[in-house]
Amino acid sequence: MANDTGHEVLKDSGGRQLFSLYDINRLPAAEKEAIYRSLLPARLLAMVGEGGGGVEVIAPEGHRFLRLVARCTPGEVDPAFVLDLCDTHHGQMELSYCTIADPAAPRFDVDLDEHGKNNVFATLGRNLAEEERAMEAGLFPNQTRRGLRMFGEFLPRLERLVAGLGMQLIVAEPLSYDNAIRYEGYGFDYVVGKRLMQEIDAGFAPGGILYRRLDGSTPFRRPGMEKSVQGRSWAIHDGILDEPWDEVRIYKTIGVHAGVNTFPGRER
C-alpha cells in the first residue's frame, strides 16, 4: 500500500508498519541491517564487495539514531561512506551528517591541528598549510579527500526510506556554504538562512562588501574567488563574513524540488 507520498509503506517481516528509526532499531539484527543497507548506492556496494571491505550498522535498540559506515577495504582509516540519521518526535528525519569520499584519493589533513588531533571542523584551530593544499587540489572546506559523486544516488534511497516511515520532511544543517549550495541543487529549501545566502550573493557581487574583501591578504581571499562556489566557500571559511557561518537550517519535502538557487551567476 502506498502512502500519500506515493511510496510504499515500510513494514517488518511480520507485516507491521514501521514509523520511525526507533521502530526499525527494535527489529532483529539481520532485518534491521537489511533495511539500512538499502540506503547504500549500488555503485558503492560494488566497491565494498570488490575491495573486501564491509558495512557497519550502529543502530541501538531503544534509540532514534543510525550510524551507517561503509569501507571499501578492511581497516580503512577514512571510510568511503559515513551517515548519521536521527528522527524527531515531530515526524521528521534529520540528516545529521553524510560524507561520501574516495578512500583511494590523496588525503589532506585539514581535520587535524598541529598536534595531530581532530580540530572538529576547524572550530578548534585550522591547519592552514593543508587547507591551502586542499584548495589548490580543488577540494572544499573540511574535505579531506575528493568525493565519489554519489549523493545524487543516495538521496532517492533516503527519501524512499523516509516516505516509507510516513514522514514527509528531511531536515539538515549544512556545515559550509558549499554544502548549502549543493543541497539547493538537490531540491532543499531553507528553514533559516535563505536571507543570509542572498546577502552573501549580493556581497560578492562587483562592488559588494565581500567582493572588496577579496584583497589577496590570505590565499583564501584572492580576487576572482567570488565567481565560484569553491572560492566563496573558502573565503567564508577564512572568516570573510562579519559573523561565523552558523545557524543555517534546510529541509527537503519528499518528492519535491524546491527550485532554490541563491547563487545563479556562479561559474560551473
Side-chain angles (χ1 to χ4, degrees):
M1 178 179 178
N3 55 30
D4 58 7
T5 66
H7 290 77
E8 292 296 316
V9 298
L10 188 62
K11 299 179 180 180
D12 65 14
S13 58
R16 292 180 295 270
Q17 187 171 350
L18 304 170
F19 295 97
S20 65
L21 298 185
Y22 181 89
D23 290 346
I24 299 174
N25 291 355
R26 297 175 63 187
L27 298 175
E31 188 175 355
K32 170 171 59 179
E33 292 181 10
I35 290 173
Y36 288 143
R37 282 178 67 99
S38 71
L39 290 168
L40 297 172
R43 190 156 55 99
L44 178 63
L45 283 172
M47 293 172 62
V48 169
E50 291 169 1
V55 176
E56 181 181 12
V57 176
I58 302 171
E61 184 176 352
H63 293 270
R64 297 175 173 270
F65 171 81
L66 164 69
R67 167 160 281 198
L68 183 61
V69 180
R71 291 178 170 85
C72 292
T73 57
E76 208 165 70
V77 176
D78 295 321
F81 181 95
V82 180
L83 171 70
D84 288 346
L85 288 179
C86 62
D87 59 32
T88 74
H89 293 286
H90 303 293
Q92 301 171 346
M93 186 66 70
E94 181 163 341
L95 176 54
S96 303
Y97 181 77
C98 182
T99 182
I100 311 175
D102 184 352
R107 192 185 202 283
F108 299 88
D109 295 336
V110 299
D111 59 334
L112 305 177
D113 65 16
E114 59 183 0
H115 304 294
K117 296 182 179 179
N118 191 304
N119 62 18
V120 191
F121 301 107
T123 59
L124 301 180
R126 293 172 59 191
N127 191 333
L128 293 174
E130 285 296 280
E131 285 187 359
E132 187 172 359
R133 288 183 62 239
M135 181 179 67
E136 296 299 337
L139 274 65
F140 293 88
N142 301 314
Q143 194 176 5
T144 57
R145 301 180 193 270
R146 71 168 180 259
L148 283 169
R149 300 181 182 274
M150 289 187 187
F151 191 82
E153 300 166 48
F154 157 72
L155 183 59
R157 293 172 175 271
L158 177 60
E159 288 199 56
R160 184 169 64 240
L161 173 70
V162 173
L165 294 171
M167 302 178 186
Q168 295 186 338
L169 291 179
I170 299 169
V171 296
E173 183 175 353
L175 297 177
S176 61
Y177 175 80
D178 60 276
N179 280 158
I181 294 291
R182 197 171 295 114
Y183 277 123
E184 288 180 9
Y186 288 111
F188 284 74
D189 201 347
Y190 292 87
V191 179
V192 179
K194 184 181 288 186
R195 179 175 296 180
L196 171 63
M197 295 292 288
Q198 292 168 338
E199 290 173 351
I200 287 172
D201 189 49
F204 276 119
I209 187 171
L210 302 179
Y211 179 88
R212 296 195 302 272
R213 290 175 182 174
L214 294 174
D215 54 8
S217 56
T218 78
F220 311 100
R221 303 189 185 196
R222 298 170 184 164
M225 294 181 76
E226 77 284 354
K227 298 177 182 178
S228 70
V229 175
Q230 189 214 24
R232 288 185 176 192
S233 196
W234 277 109
I236 291 169
H237 181 76
D238 196 48
I240 203 170
L241 300 181
D242 292 322
E243 299 177 0
W245 172 269
D246 198 10
E247 300 299 327
V248 177
R249 297 283 294 174
I250 57 176
Y251 72 95
K252 173 77 166 63
T253 302
I254 302 302
V256 176
H257 193 294
V260 175
N261 182 3
T262 60
F263 186 6
R266 64 184 178 270
E267 289 184 348
R268 301 184 182 272

